Short mmCIF file of all heavy atoms in Angstrom, two decimals:
data_model
loop_
_atom_site.label_atom_id
_atom_site.label_comp_id
_atom_site.label_asym_id
_atom_site.label_seq_id
_atom_site.Cartn_x
_atom_site.Cartn_y
_atom_site.Cartn_z
N MET A 1 -0.03 17.08 2.25
CA MET A 1 0.74 16.15 3.09
C MET A 1 -0.20 15.31 3.96
O MET A 1 -1.12 15.83 4.56
CB MET A 1 1.69 16.91 4.02
CG MET A 1 2.72 17.74 3.27
SD MET A 1 3.82 16.64 2.36
CE MET A 1 4.76 17.87 1.46
N ILE A 2 0.08 14.03 4.02
CA ILE A 2 -0.74 13.17 4.87
C ILE A 2 0.12 12.56 5.97
O ILE A 2 1.33 12.49 5.85
CB ILE A 2 -1.46 12.05 4.06
CG1 ILE A 2 -0.44 11.20 3.29
CG2 ILE A 2 -2.49 12.64 3.12
CD1 ILE A 2 -1.06 9.97 2.63
N SER A 3 -0.53 12.10 7.01
CA SER A 3 0.20 11.50 8.13
C SER A 3 0.56 10.06 7.81
O SER A 3 0.01 9.45 6.90
CB SER A 3 -0.69 11.53 9.38
OG SER A 3 -1.83 10.73 9.15
N CYS A 4 1.49 9.53 8.60
CA CYS A 4 1.87 8.12 8.44
C CYS A 4 0.66 7.22 8.67
O CYS A 4 0.53 6.18 8.02
CB CYS A 4 2.98 7.75 9.43
SG CYS A 4 4.55 8.52 9.01
N LYS A 5 -0.20 7.63 9.58
CA LYS A 5 -1.37 6.83 9.88
C LYS A 5 -2.26 6.72 8.64
O LYS A 5 -2.73 5.66 8.27
CB LYS A 5 -2.13 7.48 11.04
CG LYS A 5 -3.11 6.58 11.70
CD LYS A 5 -3.73 7.24 12.90
CE LYS A 5 -4.94 6.43 13.36
NZ LYS A 5 -5.69 7.14 14.40
N ARG A 6 -2.47 7.86 8.00
CA ARG A 6 -3.30 7.90 6.79
C ARG A 6 -2.62 7.09 5.68
O ARG A 6 -3.29 6.34 4.96
CB ARG A 6 -3.47 9.37 6.38
CG ARG A 6 -4.23 9.60 5.10
CD ARG A 6 -5.69 9.85 5.35
NE ARG A 6 -6.47 9.76 4.12
CZ ARG A 6 -6.60 10.77 3.26
NH1 ARG A 6 -6.09 11.94 3.51
NH2 ARG A 6 -7.32 10.62 2.16
N ALA A 7 -1.31 7.24 5.57
CA ALA A 7 -0.59 6.53 4.52
C ALA A 7 -0.70 5.03 4.71
O ALA A 7 -0.91 4.28 3.75
CB ALA A 7 0.88 6.96 4.51
N SER A 8 -0.58 4.58 5.95
CA SER A 8 -0.63 3.14 6.18
C SER A 8 -2.05 2.62 5.94
O SER A 8 -2.23 1.51 5.45
CB SER A 8 -0.13 2.77 7.58
OG SER A 8 -1.04 3.22 8.55
N ARG A 9 -3.04 3.46 6.23
CA ARG A 9 -4.41 3.02 5.95
C ARG A 9 -4.62 2.89 4.44
O ARG A 9 -5.20 1.91 3.96
CB ARG A 9 -5.43 3.99 6.54
CG ARG A 9 -6.85 3.52 6.28
CD ARG A 9 -7.89 4.41 6.87
NE ARG A 9 -7.72 4.53 8.32
CZ ARG A 9 -8.46 5.35 9.06
NH1 ARG A 9 -9.38 6.09 8.50
NH2 ARG A 9 -8.27 5.42 10.36
N LEU A 10 -4.12 3.87 3.70
CA LEU A 10 -4.25 3.80 2.24
C LEU A 10 -3.53 2.58 1.69
O LEU A 10 -4.05 1.89 0.81
CB LEU A 10 -3.68 5.07 1.60
CG LEU A 10 -4.52 6.34 1.74
CD1 LEU A 10 -3.80 7.53 1.11
CD2 LEU A 10 -5.90 6.16 1.12
N ALA A 11 -2.35 2.30 2.23
CA ALA A 11 -1.59 1.15 1.74
C ALA A 11 -2.34 -0.15 2.00
O ALA A 11 -2.31 -1.05 1.16
CB ALA A 11 -0.22 1.11 2.41
N SER A 12 -3.03 -0.24 3.12
CA SER A 12 -3.75 -1.48 3.38
C SER A 12 -5.04 -1.53 2.57
O SER A 12 -5.43 -2.59 2.09
CB SER A 12 -4.00 -1.67 4.87
OG SER A 12 -5.14 -0.98 5.28
N GLU A 13 -5.69 -0.38 2.37
CA GLU A 13 -6.91 -0.36 1.56
C GLU A 13 -6.61 -0.69 0.10
O GLU A 13 -7.44 -1.25 -0.59
CB GLU A 13 -7.60 1.00 1.67
CG GLU A 13 -8.30 1.17 3.00
CD GLU A 13 -9.05 2.49 3.10
OE1 GLU A 13 -9.09 3.24 2.11
OE2 GLU A 13 -9.57 2.76 4.19
N LYS A 14 -5.41 -0.34 -0.31
CA LYS A 14 -4.99 -0.60 -1.68
C LYS A 14 -5.06 -2.10 -2.00
O LYS A 14 -5.21 -2.49 -3.15
CB LYS A 14 -3.55 -0.09 -1.83
CG LYS A 14 -3.04 -0.02 -3.24
CD LYS A 14 -1.73 0.74 -3.25
CE LYS A 14 -0.98 0.48 -4.53
NZ LYS A 14 0.35 -0.08 -4.32
N GLN A 15 -4.91 -2.94 -0.97
CA GLN A 15 -4.97 -4.39 -1.18
C GLN A 15 -6.40 -4.86 -1.40
O GLN A 15 -6.62 -5.92 -1.97
CB GLN A 15 -4.39 -5.15 0.02
CG GLN A 15 -3.05 -4.64 0.53
CD GLN A 15 -1.95 -4.70 -0.51
OE1 GLN A 15 -1.88 -5.65 -1.28
NE2 GLN A 15 -1.12 -3.68 -0.56
N GLU A 16 -7.37 -4.05 -0.94
CA GLU A 16 -8.75 -4.50 -1.03
C GLU A 16 -9.57 -3.80 -2.11
O GLU A 16 -10.56 -4.33 -2.59
CB GLU A 16 -9.45 -4.30 0.32
CG GLU A 16 -9.30 -5.48 1.25
CD GLU A 16 -8.61 -5.09 2.54
OE1 GLU A 16 -9.03 -4.10 3.15
OE2 GLU A 16 -7.62 -5.74 2.92
N ARG A 17 -9.18 -2.60 -2.45
CA ARG A 17 -9.93 -1.86 -3.47
C ARG A 17 -8.94 -1.01 -4.24
O ARG A 17 -7.82 -0.82 -3.78
CB ARG A 17 -10.99 -0.98 -2.81
CG ARG A 17 -10.39 0.10 -1.90
CD ARG A 17 -11.45 1.04 -1.37
NE ARG A 17 -10.90 2.05 -0.46
CZ ARG A 17 -10.50 3.25 -0.87
NH1 ARG A 17 -10.58 3.57 -2.13
NH2 ARG A 17 -10.02 4.12 0.01
N SER A 18 -9.36 -0.51 -5.39
CA SER A 18 -8.45 0.37 -6.09
C SER A 18 -8.61 1.79 -5.55
O SER A 18 -9.73 2.27 -5.35
CB SER A 18 -8.67 0.31 -7.60
OG SER A 18 -10.03 0.41 -7.89
N LEU A 19 -7.50 2.43 -5.28
CA LEU A 19 -7.52 3.77 -4.72
C LEU A 19 -7.90 4.78 -5.80
O LEU A 19 -7.70 4.53 -6.99
CB LEU A 19 -6.14 4.12 -4.17
CG LEU A 19 -5.59 3.22 -3.07
CD1 LEU A 19 -4.20 3.71 -2.65
CD2 LEU A 19 -6.50 3.18 -1.86
N THR A 20 -8.45 5.89 -5.38
CA THR A 20 -8.73 6.96 -6.33
C THR A 20 -7.40 7.59 -6.76
O THR A 20 -6.37 7.39 -6.12
CB THR A 20 -9.61 8.05 -5.71
OG1 THR A 20 -8.87 8.69 -4.67
CG2 THR A 20 -10.89 7.47 -5.14
N LEU A 21 -7.48 8.34 -7.83
CA LEU A 21 -6.29 9.01 -8.33
C LEU A 21 -5.66 9.88 -7.25
O LEU A 21 -4.44 9.88 -7.05
CB LEU A 21 -6.68 9.87 -9.53
CG LEU A 21 -5.62 10.03 -10.61
CD1 LEU A 21 -5.28 8.67 -11.20
CD2 LEU A 21 -6.14 10.95 -11.70
N LYS A 22 -6.50 10.59 -6.53
CA LYS A 22 -6.01 11.49 -5.48
C LYS A 22 -5.33 10.70 -4.35
O LYS A 22 -4.27 11.09 -3.86
CB LYS A 22 -7.18 12.32 -4.92
CG LYS A 22 -6.73 13.44 -4.03
CD LYS A 22 -7.92 14.16 -3.42
CE LYS A 22 -7.42 15.13 -2.36
NZ LYS A 22 -8.48 15.45 -1.39
N GLU A 23 -5.95 9.60 -3.96
CA GLU A 23 -5.37 8.78 -2.90
C GLU A 23 -4.03 8.20 -3.32
O GLU A 23 -3.08 8.15 -2.53
CB GLU A 23 -6.33 7.65 -2.53
CG GLU A 23 -7.54 8.12 -1.76
CD GLU A 23 -8.61 7.05 -1.62
OE1 GLU A 23 -8.73 6.18 -2.51
OE2 GLU A 23 -9.33 7.08 -0.63
N ARG A 24 -3.97 7.73 -4.57
CA ARG A 24 -2.69 7.19 -5.06
C ARG A 24 -1.60 8.26 -5.04
O ARG A 24 -0.47 7.99 -4.68
CB ARG A 24 -2.86 6.65 -6.49
CG ARG A 24 -3.42 5.25 -6.53
CD ARG A 24 -3.06 4.56 -7.82
NE ARG A 24 -3.64 5.24 -8.96
CZ ARG A 24 -4.77 4.87 -9.56
NH1 ARG A 24 -5.43 3.82 -9.14
NH2 ARG A 24 -5.24 5.54 -10.59
N PHE A 25 -2.00 9.46 -5.45
CA PHE A 25 -1.05 10.56 -5.47
C PHE A 25 -0.57 10.89 -4.06
O PHE A 25 0.63 11.04 -3.82
CB PHE A 25 -1.70 11.79 -6.12
CG PHE A 25 -0.84 13.02 -6.05
CD1 PHE A 25 0.22 13.17 -6.94
CD2 PHE A 25 -1.07 14.00 -5.11
CE1 PHE A 25 1.03 14.30 -6.88
CE2 PHE A 25 -0.27 15.12 -5.04
CZ PHE A 25 0.78 15.27 -5.92
N LEU A 26 -1.50 10.97 -3.12
CA LEU A 26 -1.15 11.29 -1.74
C LEU A 26 -0.21 10.25 -1.14
O LEU A 26 0.76 10.57 -0.48
CB LEU A 26 -2.42 11.40 -0.88
CG LEU A 26 -3.29 12.62 -1.12
CD1 LEU A 26 -4.60 12.49 -0.35
CD2 LEU A 26 -2.56 13.89 -0.70
N LEU A 27 -0.53 8.99 -1.40
CA LEU A 27 0.29 7.90 -0.88
C LEU A 27 1.69 7.95 -1.49
O LEU A 27 2.70 7.89 -0.78
CB LEU A 27 -0.38 6.56 -1.17
CG LEU A 27 0.35 5.31 -0.68
CD1 LEU A 27 0.55 5.34 0.84
CD2 LEU A 27 -0.41 4.04 -1.07
N ARG A 28 1.73 8.12 -2.81
CA ARG A 28 3.03 8.14 -3.48
C ARG A 28 3.87 9.32 -3.01
O ARG A 28 5.08 9.19 -2.79
CB ARG A 28 2.81 8.23 -4.99
CG ARG A 28 4.01 7.84 -5.79
CD ARG A 28 3.68 7.70 -7.23
NE ARG A 28 3.03 6.42 -7.53
CZ ARG A 28 2.98 5.90 -8.74
NH1 ARG A 28 3.49 6.56 -9.76
NH2 ARG A 28 2.41 4.74 -8.95
N TRP A 29 3.22 10.44 -2.83
CA TRP A 29 3.92 11.64 -2.37
C TRP A 29 4.50 11.40 -0.97
O TRP A 29 5.63 11.74 -0.68
CB TRP A 29 2.96 12.83 -2.37
CG TRP A 29 3.61 14.12 -2.02
CD1 TRP A 29 3.46 14.81 -0.85
CD2 TRP A 29 4.52 14.88 -2.82
NE1 TRP A 29 4.23 15.94 -0.89
CE2 TRP A 29 4.88 16.02 -2.09
CE3 TRP A 29 5.05 14.69 -4.10
CZ2 TRP A 29 5.77 16.97 -2.58
CZ3 TRP A 29 5.93 15.64 -4.59
CH2 TRP A 29 6.27 16.76 -3.84
N HIS A 30 3.71 10.79 -0.11
CA HIS A 30 4.15 10.51 1.25
C HIS A 30 5.37 9.58 1.23
O HIS A 30 6.34 9.77 1.95
CB HIS A 30 3.01 9.88 2.05
CG HIS A 30 3.35 9.62 3.49
ND1 HIS A 30 3.22 10.57 4.47
CD2 HIS A 30 3.85 8.53 4.10
CE1 HIS A 30 3.63 10.06 5.62
NE2 HIS A 30 4.02 8.82 5.43
N LEU A 31 5.31 8.58 0.36
CA LEU A 31 6.40 7.61 0.30
C LEU A 31 7.72 8.22 -0.18
O LEU A 31 8.78 7.69 0.12
CB LEU A 31 6.02 6.44 -0.62
CG LEU A 31 4.83 5.59 -0.14
CD1 LEU A 31 4.55 4.48 -1.13
CD2 LEU A 31 5.06 5.04 1.24
N LEU A 32 7.61 9.35 -0.90
CA LEU A 32 8.83 10.00 -1.38
C LEU A 32 9.72 10.47 -0.23
O LEU A 32 10.93 10.46 -0.33
CB LEU A 32 8.48 11.20 -2.26
CG LEU A 32 8.10 10.90 -3.71
CD1 LEU A 32 7.78 12.21 -4.42
CD2 LEU A 32 9.22 10.18 -4.43
N TYR A 33 9.06 10.91 0.83
CA TYR A 33 9.89 11.46 1.92
C TYR A 33 9.82 10.64 3.20
O TYR A 33 10.45 11.00 4.20
CB TYR A 33 9.50 12.93 2.20
CG TYR A 33 8.08 13.14 2.69
CD1 TYR A 33 7.78 13.01 4.04
CD2 TYR A 33 7.07 13.47 1.80
CE1 TYR A 33 6.49 13.18 4.48
CE2 TYR A 33 5.78 13.65 2.24
CZ TYR A 33 5.49 13.51 3.58
OH TYR A 33 4.21 13.67 4.01
N CYS A 34 9.08 9.52 3.19
CA CYS A 34 8.97 8.75 4.43
C CYS A 34 9.48 7.32 4.25
O CYS A 34 8.78 6.47 3.68
CB CYS A 34 7.53 8.75 4.92
SG CYS A 34 7.34 7.91 6.49
N ALA A 35 10.70 7.07 4.70
CA ALA A 35 11.31 5.75 4.54
C ALA A 35 10.57 4.69 5.34
O ALA A 35 10.48 3.54 4.92
CB ALA A 35 12.77 5.80 4.95
N GLY A 36 10.05 5.07 6.48
CA GLY A 36 9.33 4.12 7.33
C GLY A 36 8.12 3.54 6.60
O GLY A 36 7.89 2.33 6.61
N CYS A 37 7.37 4.41 5.95
CA CYS A 37 6.19 3.94 5.22
C CYS A 37 6.58 3.18 3.96
O CYS A 37 5.86 2.28 3.55
CB CYS A 37 5.25 5.10 4.91
SG CYS A 37 4.37 5.64 6.38
N ARG A 38 7.69 3.54 3.36
CA ARG A 38 8.15 2.77 2.19
C ARG A 38 8.37 1.32 2.59
O ARG A 38 8.00 0.40 1.89
CB ARG A 38 9.45 3.35 1.62
CG ARG A 38 9.22 4.47 0.63
CD ARG A 38 10.40 4.60 -0.32
NE ARG A 38 11.63 4.95 0.40
CZ ARG A 38 11.98 6.19 0.70
NH1 ARG A 38 11.21 7.20 0.37
NH2 ARG A 38 13.09 6.43 1.36
N ARG A 39 9.01 1.14 3.75
CA ARG A 39 9.23 -0.23 4.24
C ARG A 39 7.91 -0.93 4.49
O ARG A 39 7.73 -2.09 4.14
CB ARG A 39 10.05 -0.20 5.54
CG ARG A 39 11.53 -0.41 5.33
CD ARG A 39 12.21 -0.82 6.62
NE ARG A 39 12.04 0.18 7.68
CZ ARG A 39 12.80 1.26 7.80
NH1 ARG A 39 13.78 1.48 6.97
NH2 ARG A 39 12.59 2.12 8.77
N MET A 40 6.98 -0.19 5.10
CA MET A 40 5.69 -0.75 5.42
C MET A 40 4.96 -1.21 4.15
O MET A 40 4.40 -2.30 4.10
CB MET A 40 4.88 0.30 6.18
CG MET A 40 3.54 -0.14 6.57
SD MET A 40 2.12 0.84 6.02
CE MET A 40 2.65 2.16 5.04
N VAL A 41 5.00 -0.36 3.12
CA VAL A 41 4.33 -0.69 1.87
C VAL A 41 4.94 -1.94 1.23
O VAL A 41 4.24 -2.79 0.70
CB VAL A 41 4.37 0.52 0.90
CG1 VAL A 41 4.07 0.09 -0.53
CG2 VAL A 41 3.36 1.56 1.34
N LYS A 42 6.26 -2.04 1.32
CA LYS A 42 6.92 -3.23 0.79
C LYS A 42 6.43 -4.49 1.50
O LYS A 42 6.23 -5.53 0.88
CB LYS A 42 8.44 -3.12 0.94
CG LYS A 42 9.05 -2.40 -0.23
CD LYS A 42 10.53 -2.73 -0.37
CE LYS A 42 11.09 -2.03 -1.59
NZ LYS A 42 12.33 -1.34 -1.32
N GLN A 43 6.28 -4.38 2.81
CA GLN A 43 5.74 -5.50 3.58
C GLN A 43 4.35 -5.89 3.08
O GLN A 43 4.07 -7.05 2.87
CB GLN A 43 5.63 -5.12 5.07
CG GLN A 43 6.96 -5.00 5.78
CD GLN A 43 7.52 -6.38 6.13
OE1 GLN A 43 6.77 -7.30 6.41
NE2 GLN A 43 8.83 -6.50 6.09
N PHE A 44 3.49 -4.87 2.91
CA PHE A 44 2.14 -5.13 2.42
C PHE A 44 2.19 -5.84 1.08
O PHE A 44 1.47 -6.79 0.83
CB PHE A 44 1.35 -3.82 2.26
CG PHE A 44 0.65 -3.38 3.51
CD1 PHE A 44 0.86 -2.13 4.04
CD2 PHE A 44 -0.25 -4.23 4.13
CE1 PHE A 44 0.21 -1.71 5.19
CE2 PHE A 44 -0.92 -3.82 5.28
CZ PHE A 44 -0.69 -2.56 5.81
N GLU A 45 3.06 -5.33 0.20
CA GLU A 45 3.12 -5.91 -1.14
C GLU A 45 3.67 -7.32 -1.11
O GLU A 45 3.19 -8.20 -1.82
CB GLU A 45 3.91 -5.00 -2.07
CG GLU A 45 3.02 -3.87 -2.55
CD GLU A 45 3.76 -2.76 -3.24
OE1 GLU A 45 4.98 -2.89 -3.45
OE2 GLU A 45 3.11 -1.76 -3.56
N PHE A 46 4.63 -7.53 -0.24
CA PHE A 46 5.18 -8.87 -0.09
C PHE A 46 4.09 -9.83 0.39
O PHE A 46 3.91 -10.91 -0.16
CB PHE A 46 6.35 -8.86 0.90
CG PHE A 46 6.83 -10.24 1.24
CD1 PHE A 46 7.63 -10.94 0.35
CD2 PHE A 46 6.48 -10.84 2.43
CE1 PHE A 46 8.06 -12.22 0.66
CE2 PHE A 46 6.90 -12.12 2.75
CZ PHE A 46 7.70 -12.81 1.86
N LEU A 47 3.34 -9.39 1.39
CA LEU A 47 2.27 -10.23 1.93
C LEU A 47 1.21 -10.54 0.88
O LEU A 47 0.75 -11.66 0.78
CB LEU A 47 1.61 -9.55 3.13
CG LEU A 47 2.39 -9.61 4.44
CD1 LEU A 47 1.65 -8.83 5.52
CD2 LEU A 47 2.58 -11.05 4.89
N SER A 48 0.83 -9.53 0.10
CA SER A 48 -0.23 -9.79 -0.87
C SER A 48 0.29 -10.68 -2.00
O SER A 48 -0.44 -11.53 -2.51
CB SER A 48 -0.85 -8.50 -1.39
OG SER A 48 -0.03 -7.92 -2.36
N GLU A 49 1.55 -10.51 -2.37
CA GLU A 49 2.16 -11.41 -3.36
C GLU A 49 2.16 -12.84 -2.83
O GLU A 49 1.80 -13.78 -3.52
CB GLU A 49 3.61 -11.00 -3.64
CG GLU A 49 3.75 -9.82 -4.56
CD GLU A 49 3.25 -10.12 -5.96
OE1 GLU A 49 3.71 -11.13 -6.53
OE2 GLU A 49 2.40 -9.36 -6.45
N ALA A 50 2.59 -12.97 -1.58
CA ALA A 50 2.68 -14.29 -0.96
C ALA A 50 1.30 -14.94 -0.91
O ALA A 50 1.15 -16.13 -1.22
CB ALA A 50 3.26 -14.18 0.45
N THR A 51 0.29 -14.15 -0.56
CA THR A 51 -1.07 -14.68 -0.49
C THR A 51 -1.55 -15.10 -1.86
O THR A 51 -2.12 -16.18 -2.03
CB THR A 51 -2.03 -13.63 0.09
OG1 THR A 51 -1.46 -13.13 1.29
CG2 THR A 51 -3.38 -14.24 0.41
N ARG A 52 -1.29 -14.25 -2.86
CA ARG A 52 -1.69 -14.59 -4.22
C ARG A 52 -1.02 -15.87 -4.68
O ARG A 52 -1.66 -16.73 -5.27
CB ARG A 52 -1.33 -13.45 -5.17
CG ARG A 52 -2.54 -12.74 -5.74
CD ARG A 52 -2.21 -12.00 -7.00
NE ARG A 52 -1.14 -11.04 -6.81
CZ ARG A 52 -1.31 -9.82 -6.33
NH1 ARG A 52 -2.50 -9.41 -5.97
NH2 ARG A 52 -0.29 -9.00 -6.19
N GLY A 53 0.27 -15.98 -4.39
CA GLY A 53 1.00 -17.17 -4.78
C GLY A 53 0.41 -18.41 -4.14
O GLY A 53 0.20 -19.42 -4.81
N TRP A 54 0.08 -18.26 -2.88
CA TRP A 54 -0.48 -19.38 -2.15
C TRP A 54 -1.84 -19.76 -2.72
O TRP A 54 -2.13 -20.94 -2.94
CB TRP A 54 -0.60 -19.00 -0.67
CG TRP A 54 -1.18 -20.08 0.18
CD1 TRP A 54 -0.55 -21.20 0.61
CD2 TRP A 54 -2.53 -20.15 0.67
NE1 TRP A 54 -1.44 -21.96 1.36
CE2 TRP A 54 -2.63 -21.33 1.40
CE3 TRP A 54 -3.63 -19.29 0.56
CZ2 TRP A 54 -3.83 -21.70 2.03
CZ3 TRP A 54 -4.82 -19.65 1.18
CH2 TRP A 54 -4.91 -20.84 1.91
N MET A 55 -2.68 -18.74 -3.01
CA MET A 55 -4.00 -18.98 -3.59
C MET A 55 -3.88 -19.70 -4.93
O MET A 55 -4.65 -20.62 -5.20
CB MET A 55 -4.75 -17.65 -3.82
CG MET A 55 -5.00 -16.87 -2.55
SD MET A 55 -6.37 -17.51 -1.59
CE MET A 55 -7.69 -16.51 -2.30
N SER A 56 -2.94 -19.27 -5.74
CA SER A 56 -2.86 -19.87 -7.07
C SER A 56 -2.31 -21.28 -7.02
O SER A 56 -2.56 -22.10 -7.90
CB SER A 56 -2.05 -18.99 -8.03
OG SER A 56 -0.71 -18.97 -7.62
N HIS A 57 -1.55 -21.59 -5.96
CA HIS A 57 -1.04 -22.95 -5.81
C HIS A 57 -2.13 -23.91 -5.37
O HIS A 57 -1.99 -25.12 -5.47
CB HIS A 57 0.10 -23.00 -4.80
CG HIS A 57 1.42 -22.62 -5.41
ND1 HIS A 57 1.98 -23.34 -6.43
CD2 HIS A 57 2.24 -21.59 -5.16
CE1 HIS A 57 3.12 -22.75 -6.78
NE2 HIS A 57 3.29 -21.68 -6.03
N LYS A 58 -3.21 -23.33 -4.82
CA LYS A 58 -4.25 -24.17 -4.28
C LYS A 58 -4.98 -25.00 -5.34
O LYS A 58 -5.47 -26.06 -5.08
CB LYS A 58 -5.28 -23.33 -3.51
CG LYS A 58 -5.02 -23.35 -2.01
CD LYS A 58 -6.08 -22.61 -1.25
CE LYS A 58 -7.30 -23.48 -0.98
NZ LYS A 58 -8.32 -22.76 -0.21
N ASP A 59 -5.10 -24.44 -6.55
CA ASP A 59 -5.80 -25.21 -7.58
C ASP A 59 -4.95 -25.45 -8.81
O ASP A 59 -4.05 -26.20 -8.85
CB ASP A 59 -7.10 -24.54 -8.03
CG ASP A 59 -6.89 -23.09 -8.39
OD1 ASP A 59 -5.91 -22.83 -9.10
OD2 ASP A 59 -7.67 -22.26 -7.95
ZN1 ZN B 101 5.12 7.77 6.80
#
């Protein structure tokens, strides 16, 4: 079990590097029982999608 703090750090690191298998498992496991972090991860994913979309529109 990991804390919300650890989960949110993993979720943000996921945007910059690929997580290890263990980290992915820990994060996914945490998200199963933590609705707050699920929302947070969605936000991260939305932001990174938005950024990607913006980047690709640039050229
Ligand atoms: Zn959490």
Side-chain angles (χ1 to χ4, degrees):
M1 298 294 174
I2 57 172
S3 63
C4 289
K5 197 175 167 189
R6 177 94 194 276
S8 69
R9 181 178 302 175
L10 287 177
S12 84
E13 285 183 4
K14 192 169 162 238
Q15 313 300 321
E16 272 120 50
R17 63 174 178 92
S18 47
L19 300 179
T20 65
L21 212 61
K22 191 184 171 203
E23 287 169 331
R24 277 203 298 262
F25 174 78
L26 288 172
L27 180 59
R28 198 170 281 199
W29 185 252
H30 183 86
L31 296 180
L32 280 180
Y33 63 85
C34 184
C37 286
R38 274 205 297 275
R39 263 199 301 277
M40 180 237 3
V41 163
K42 273 202 178 132
Q43 289 282 326
F44 272 125
E45 280 168 5
F46 172 78
L47 283 177
S48 79
E49 282 295 307
T51 310
R52 248 200 303 277
W54 180 77
M55 298 282 269
S56 67
H57 277 298
K58 262 184 84 178
D59 51 45

